[in-house]
Amino acid sequence: MLSIKKFEVNPIQENCYVVSDETKECMIVDCGALYQAELQSIYNYILENGLKPVRCVLTHAHFDHVFGVKGICDRYNLQPVLCQKDESLYKDFHNQIKLFGIQGLDCDLPAIGEYVKDGSKVTFGNHTFSVIETPGHTRGSVFYYCEEEKVAFSGDTLFKGSIGRTDLPGGSMFQIIQSLRMITQLPDDVTVYSGHGEETTIGLELASNPYLDR
């Protein structure tokens, strides 16, 4: 059974998740921790629960989702996992933060260790997550979906009651609507953990989110 711990980090209130199971192996999703105190809270949780980080995965490469990737990868000897379609965005990190007026941040991101695409499998412990490409928010946005546990990490593609913005470089309203139509084929009782805000379910979003239909 999965255990999911959410950390709300950085000024944009991004959600970083530590996902573990009975083996004590864990996967860290979208570590956007900007401040040392935020990283330390994640380190403390991992230590206190006796966890072993084996994966550092990214749903997409926007700056607020990768601030803490270097800290996590350096500490646990990992390399991040990313869809190759977001490689150029990842490498453009410093220009991203300049665009949003962030000054004085000196952060070199680690090299990508594994590229994933639609249908790729990401495993840790006794669990496997399937990669579903969901372009629209960025070209390389993905869901990580565990069919066994009916859990998905959506990044900024789907939020409770809303969807990700499409007005940034690489965004496309047409593509995100197509991606959402595909995602609605998942079972209604799949719990979706988003990059910002509260978790939701596919069924709840179909019933209340104006951007979704089946």
Side-chain angles (χ1 to χ4, degrees), residues 156-192:
D156 289 0
T157 296
L158 177 62
F159 302 129
K160 185 176 183 179
S162 188
I163 63 173
R165 61 190 294 183
T166 59
D167 59 332
L168 296 173
S172 165
M173 178 59 78
F174 174 78
Q175 283 191 320
I176 202 169
I177 294 300
Q178 294 298 106
S179 294
L180 291 166
R181 285 176 177 164
M182 178 177 58
I183 290 304
T184 60
Q185 303 310 304
L186 297 175
D188 285 359
D189 57 349
V190 169
T191 300
V192 178

Short mmCIF file of all heavy atoms in Angstrom, two decimals, residues 156-192:
data_model
loop_
_atom_site.label_atom_id
_atom_site.label_comp_id
_atom_site.label_asym_id
_atom_site.label_seq_id
_atom_site.Cartn_x
_atom_site.Cartn_y
_atom_site.Cartn_z
N ASP A 156 0.82 19.92 -13.36
CA ASP A 156 -0.05 21.08 -13.55
C ASP A 156 -1.02 20.88 -14.71
O ASP A 156 -1.56 21.85 -15.24
CB ASP A 156 0.79 22.34 -13.78
CG ASP A 156 1.51 22.80 -12.53
OD1 ASP A 156 1.36 22.14 -11.48
OD2 ASP A 156 2.23 23.80 -12.61
N THR A 157 -1.27 19.64 -15.10
CA THR A 157 -2.25 19.39 -16.15
C THR A 157 -3.67 19.51 -15.61
O THR A 157 -4.52 20.15 -16.22
CB THR A 157 -2.03 18.01 -16.78
OG1 THR A 157 -0.76 17.98 -17.42
CG2 THR A 157 -3.12 17.68 -17.81
N LEU A 158 -3.91 18.92 -14.45
CA LEU A 158 -5.25 18.90 -13.86
C LEU A 158 -5.19 19.30 -12.40
O LEU A 158 -4.39 18.77 -11.63
CB LEU A 158 -5.86 17.49 -13.99
CG LEU A 158 -7.24 17.28 -13.36
CD1 LEU A 158 -8.28 18.17 -14.03
CD2 LEU A 158 -7.65 15.81 -13.45
N PHE A 159 -6.04 20.25 -12.03
CA PHE A 159 -6.20 20.67 -10.64
C PHE A 159 -7.63 20.39 -10.20
O PHE A 159 -8.52 20.15 -11.03
CB PHE A 159 -5.95 22.18 -10.48
CG PHE A 159 -4.61 22.64 -10.93
CD1 PHE A 159 -4.49 23.70 -11.80
CD2 PHE A 159 -3.45 22.02 -10.48
CE1 PHE A 159 -3.25 24.17 -12.21
CE2 PHE A 159 -2.20 22.46 -10.89
CZ PHE A 159 -2.10 23.54 -11.75
N LYS A 160 -7.87 20.45 -8.91
CA LYS A 160 -9.24 20.35 -8.41
C LYS A 160 -10.02 21.57 -8.90
O LYS A 160 -9.74 22.70 -8.53
CB LYS A 160 -9.24 20.29 -6.88
CG LYS A 160 -10.63 20.05 -6.29
CD LYS A 160 -10.57 19.89 -4.78
CE LYS A 160 -11.95 19.59 -4.22
NZ LYS A 160 -11.90 19.41 -2.74
N GLY A 161 -10.97 21.34 -9.80
CA GLY A 161 -11.82 22.40 -10.30
C GLY A 161 -11.22 23.23 -11.42
O GLY A 161 -11.86 24.17 -11.89
N SER A 162 -10.03 22.92 -11.87
CA SER A 162 -9.39 23.74 -12.88
C SER A 162 -8.35 22.92 -13.64
O SER A 162 -8.19 21.71 -13.42
CB SER A 162 -8.75 24.97 -12.24
OG SER A 162 -8.28 25.87 -13.22
N ILE A 163 -7.61 23.61 -14.52
CA ILE A 163 -6.53 22.98 -15.28
C ILE A 163 -5.34 23.92 -15.32
O ILE A 163 -5.43 25.09 -14.94
CB ILE A 163 -6.97 22.62 -16.72
CG1 ILE A 163 -7.34 23.88 -17.51
CG2 ILE A 163 -8.12 21.62 -16.69
CD1 ILE A 163 -7.62 23.62 -18.99
N GLY A 164 -4.22 23.43 -15.82
CA GLY A 164 -3.02 24.23 -15.90
C GLY A 164 -3.10 25.30 -16.97
O GLY A 164 -3.82 25.16 -17.96
N ARG A 165 -2.35 26.36 -16.77
CA ARG A 165 -2.33 27.44 -17.75
C ARG A 165 -1.62 26.99 -19.02
O ARG A 165 -0.74 26.10 -18.99
CB ARG A 165 -1.65 28.69 -17.16
CG ARG A 165 -0.22 28.48 -16.74
CD ARG A 165 0.31 29.67 -15.95
NE ARG A 165 0.40 30.89 -16.78
CZ ARG A 165 0.88 32.05 -16.33
NH1 ARG A 165 1.30 32.14 -15.06
NH2 ARG A 165 0.93 33.09 -17.12
N THR A 166 -1.98 27.61 -20.12
CA THR A 166 -1.42 27.21 -21.41
C THR A 166 -0.79 28.39 -22.16
O THR A 166 -0.48 28.27 -23.35
CB THR A 166 -2.51 26.58 -22.31
OG1 THR A 166 -3.56 27.54 -22.52
CG2 THR A 166 -3.08 25.33 -21.67
N ASP A 167 -0.60 29.51 -21.45
CA ASP A 167 -0.11 30.72 -22.11
C ASP A 167 1.40 30.91 -22.00
O ASP A 167 1.93 31.92 -22.46
CB ASP A 167 -0.82 31.95 -21.54
CG ASP A 167 -0.61 32.11 -20.04
OD1 ASP A 167 -0.40 31.09 -19.35
OD2 ASP A 167 -0.65 33.26 -19.56
N LEU A 168 2.10 29.94 -21.40
CA LEU A 168 3.55 30.01 -21.32
C LEU A 168 4.17 29.27 -22.51
O LEU A 168 3.49 28.48 -23.17
CB LEU A 168 4.03 29.39 -20.00
CG LEU A 168 3.56 30.12 -18.73
CD1 LEU A 168 3.95 29.31 -17.49
CD2 LEU A 168 4.13 31.52 -18.67
N PRO A 169 5.46 29.52 -22.80
CA PRO A 169 6.09 28.84 -23.94
C PRO A 169 5.91 27.32 -23.88
O PRO A 169 6.14 26.70 -22.84
CB PRO A 169 7.57 29.23 -23.79
CG PRO A 169 7.52 30.58 -23.14
CD PRO A 169 6.37 30.50 -22.16
N GLY A 170 5.47 26.74 -24.99
CA GLY A 170 5.23 25.30 -25.04
C GLY A 170 3.82 24.90 -24.67
O GLY A 170 3.46 23.73 -24.79
N GLY A 171 3.02 25.85 -24.21
CA GLY A 171 1.65 25.54 -23.82
C GLY A 171 0.70 25.54 -25.00
O GLY A 171 0.94 26.20 -26.01
N SER A 172 -0.40 24.80 -24.88
CA SER A 172 -1.38 24.71 -25.95
C SER A 172 -2.73 24.33 -25.35
O SER A 172 -2.87 23.24 -24.78
CB SER A 172 -0.96 23.67 -26.99
OG SER A 172 -2.04 23.34 -27.84
N MET A 173 -3.73 25.21 -25.50
CA MET A 173 -5.07 24.87 -25.01
C MET A 173 -5.64 23.67 -25.76
O MET A 173 -6.27 22.79 -25.16
CB MET A 173 -6.00 26.08 -25.14
CG MET A 173 -7.43 25.81 -24.70
SD MET A 173 -7.56 25.27 -22.96
CE MET A 173 -7.36 26.86 -22.13
N PHE A 174 -5.43 23.62 -27.07
CA PHE A 174 -5.92 22.49 -27.84
C PHE A 174 -5.34 21.18 -27.31
O PHE A 174 -6.07 20.20 -27.09
CB PHE A 174 -5.55 22.66 -29.32
CG PHE A 174 -5.89 21.46 -30.17
CD1 PHE A 174 -7.20 21.24 -30.58
CD2 PHE A 174 -4.91 20.54 -30.53
CE1 PHE A 174 -7.52 20.13 -31.36
CE2 PHE A 174 -5.22 19.43 -31.30
CZ PHE A 174 -6.53 19.22 -31.71
N GLN A 175 -4.03 21.16 -27.07
CA GLN A 175 -3.39 19.93 -26.60
C GLN A 175 -3.85 19.54 -25.21
O GLN A 175 -4.07 18.35 -24.93
CB GLN A 175 -1.87 20.08 -26.62
CG GLN A 175 -1.26 19.97 -28.01
CD GLN A 175 0.25 19.86 -27.96
OE1 GLN A 175 0.91 20.53 -27.15
NE2 GLN A 175 0.82 19.02 -28.80
N ILE A 176 -4.01 20.51 -24.31
CA ILE A 176 -4.38 20.14 -22.94
C ILE A 176 -5.80 19.59 -22.90
O ILE A 176 -6.10 18.65 -22.15
CB ILE A 176 -4.18 21.31 -21.96
CG1 ILE A 176 -4.03 20.76 -20.52
CG2 ILE A 176 -5.33 22.31 -22.01
CD1 ILE A 176 -3.58 21.81 -19.52
N ILE A 177 -6.70 20.12 -23.74
CA ILE A 177 -8.06 19.59 -23.80
C ILE A 177 -8.04 18.15 -24.33
O ILE A 177 -8.74 17.27 -23.81
CB ILE A 177 -8.96 20.48 -24.66
CG1 ILE A 177 -9.15 21.85 -23.98
CG2 ILE A 177 -10.31 19.81 -24.90
CD1 ILE A 177 -9.78 21.79 -22.59
N GLN A 178 -7.21 17.90 -25.33
CA GLN A 178 -7.07 16.53 -25.84
C GLN A 178 -6.51 15.61 -24.77
O GLN A 178 -6.97 14.46 -24.62
CB GLN A 178 -6.16 16.51 -27.08
CG GLN A 178 -6.73 17.23 -28.29
CD GLN A 178 -8.02 16.59 -28.78
OE1 GLN A 178 -9.11 17.14 -28.59
NE2 GLN A 178 -7.90 15.42 -29.39
N SER A 179 -5.53 16.10 -24.02
CA SER A 179 -4.95 15.29 -22.94
C SER A 179 -5.98 14.98 -21.87
O SER A 179 -6.06 13.85 -21.36
CB SER A 179 -3.76 16.04 -22.31
OG SER A 179 -2.69 16.18 -23.22
N LEU A 180 -6.78 15.97 -21.52
CA LEU A 180 -7.79 15.77 -20.48
C LEU A 180 -8.86 14.78 -20.93
O LEU A 180 -9.36 13.98 -20.12
CB LEU A 180 -8.42 17.10 -20.11
CG LEU A 180 -7.48 18.07 -19.38
CD1 LEU A 180 -8.05 19.48 -19.36
CD2 LEU A 180 -7.19 17.59 -17.96
N ARG A 181 -9.22 14.80 -22.19
CA ARG A 181 -10.18 13.82 -22.70
C ARG A 181 -9.64 12.41 -22.57
O ARG A 181 -10.39 11.47 -22.27
CB ARG A 181 -10.52 14.13 -24.16
CG ARG A 181 -11.45 15.32 -24.33
CD ARG A 181 -11.69 15.67 -25.78
NE ARG A 181 -12.64 16.78 -25.88
CZ ARG A 181 -12.82 17.50 -26.98
NH1 ARG A 181 -12.11 17.23 -28.07
NH2 ARG A 181 -13.69 18.49 -27.00
N MET A 182 -8.36 12.25 -22.77
CA MET A 182 -7.73 10.95 -22.60
C MET A 182 -7.71 10.55 -21.13
O MET A 182 -8.01 9.39 -20.77
CB MET A 182 -6.31 10.99 -23.16
CG MET A 182 -5.52 9.70 -23.01
SD MET A 182 -3.89 9.86 -23.77
CE MET A 182 -3.20 11.26 -22.88
N ILE A 183 -7.38 11.48 -20.26
CA ILE A 183 -7.29 11.20 -18.83
C ILE A 183 -8.65 10.80 -18.25
O ILE A 183 -8.73 9.99 -17.32
CB ILE A 183 -6.72 12.43 -18.09
CG1 ILE A 183 -5.23 12.61 -18.42
CG2 ILE A 183 -6.91 12.31 -16.58
CD1 ILE A 183 -4.37 11.40 -18.12
N THR A 184 -9.74 11.34 -18.80
CA THR A 184 -11.06 11.00 -18.27
C THR A 184 -11.44 9.55 -18.53
O THR A 184 -12.46 9.08 -18.00
CB THR A 184 -12.15 11.92 -18.86
OG1 THR A 184 -12.19 11.76 -20.29
CG2 THR A 184 -11.90 13.37 -18.50
N GLN A 185 -10.62 8.83 -19.31
CA GLN A 185 -10.88 7.41 -19.51
C GLN A 185 -10.41 6.57 -18.33
O GLN A 185 -10.71 5.38 -18.24
CB GLN A 185 -10.22 6.92 -20.80
CG GLN A 185 -10.67 7.68 -22.05
CD GLN A 185 -12.17 7.78 -22.19
OE1 GLN A 185 -12.86 6.75 -22.20
NE2 GLN A 185 -12.68 9.00 -22.30
N LEU A 186 -9.66 7.19 -17.42
CA LEU A 186 -9.28 6.49 -16.19
C LEU A 186 -10.52 6.28 -15.32
O LEU A 186 -11.50 7.02 -15.44
CB LEU A 186 -8.23 7.30 -15.42
CG LEU A 186 -6.88 7.52 -16.11
CD1 LEU A 186 -6.00 8.44 -15.26
CD2 LEU A 186 -6.18 6.20 -16.37
N PRO A 187 -10.50 5.30 -14.42
CA PRO A 187 -11.65 5.07 -13.55
C PRO A 187 -12.01 6.29 -12.70
O PRO A 187 -11.14 7.06 -12.31
CB PRO A 187 -11.20 3.89 -12.67
CG PRO A 187 -10.15 3.20 -13.48
CD PRO A 187 -9.44 4.28 -14.24
N ASP A 188 -13.29 6.45 -12.41
CA ASP A 188 -13.76 7.59 -11.64
C ASP A 188 -13.12 7.68 -10.26
O ASP A 188 -12.98 8.79 -9.70
CB ASP A 188 -15.28 7.53 -11.47
CG ASP A 188 -16.03 7.89 -12.74
OD1 ASP A 188 -15.37 8.21 -13.75
OD2 ASP A 188 -17.28 7.86 -12.73
N ASP A 189 -12.76 6.53 -9.68
CA ASP A 189 -12.25 6.54 -8.30
C ASP A 189 -10.72 6.68 -8.22
O ASP A 189 -10.14 6.49 -7.15
CB ASP A 189 -12.71 5.30 -7.53
CG ASP A 189 -12.30 3.99 -8.20
OD1 ASP A 189 -11.86 4.01 -9.37
OD2 ASP A 189 -12.45 2.92 -7.56
N VAL A 190 -10.07 7.05 -9.33
CA VAL A 190 -8.64 7.35 -9.29
C VAL A 190 -8.44 8.68 -8.55
O VAL A 190 -9.06 9.69 -8.89
CB VAL A 190 -8.03 7.43 -10.70
CG1 VAL A 190 -6.62 8.00 -10.65
CG2 VAL A 190 -8.02 6.06 -11.35
N THR A 191 -7.59 8.66 -7.53
CA THR A 191 -7.25 9.88 -6.80
C THR A 191 -6.12 10.59 -7.52
O THR A 191 -5.10 9.98 -7.85
CB THR A 191 -6.83 9.57 -5.36
OG1 THR A 191 -7.91 8.92 -4.68
CG2 THR A 191 -6.48 10.86 -4.60
N VAL A 192 -6.31 11.88 -7.77
CA VAL A 192 -5.33 12.68 -8.51
C VAL A 192 -4.65 13.66 -7.56
O VAL A 192 -5.33 14.46 -6.90
CB VAL A 192 -6.02 13.45 -9.65
CG1 VAL A 192 -4.99 14.32 -10.39
CG2 VAL A 192 -6.70 12.48 -10.62
#
